[in-house]
Amino acid sequence: MKRKILIVLILAFFLCGCVAGIGGTEKVEQPTVGQELTDLKKALDEGAVTEKEYMELKQKIMNRKE
């Protein structure tokens, strides 16, 4: 009985390790400064941000070092 429990625990350990590794190597690409500025301008044009917010956010994007 103890042997069966040990075998089940070992199998569970290996299966959990396999499942945990799935999708863990995907690389998330960060948007470029140009894409951020384009998206910000679109947000301004659609009324999602005010002119003041647009200018502040634009400055933050432009001043950020990549």
Side-chain angles (χ1 to χ4, degrees), residues 6-64:
L6 181 60
I7 291 172
V8 170
L9 289 174
I10 291 171
L11 288 173
F13 175 78
F14 283 111
L15 289 175
C16 288
C18 291
V19 173
I22 294 175
T25 60
E26 292 180 23
K27 182 179 178 183
V28 177
E29 302 245 353
Q30 296 295 320
T32 63
V33 171
Q35 184 61 52
E36 285 185 273
L37 292 173
T38 300
D39 292 344
L40 183 59
K41 178 68 167 117
K42 185 176 178 182
L44 174 66
D45 294 342
E46 293 177 357
V49 295
T50 65
E51 183 73 32
K52 181 180 177 185
E53 291 170 324
Y54 170 79
M55 294 305 291
E56 290 171 0
L57 292 169
K58 181 180 173 185
Q59 276 299 60
K60 285 182 182 180
I61 292 170
M62 297 297 291
N63 292 335
R64 187 176 58 222

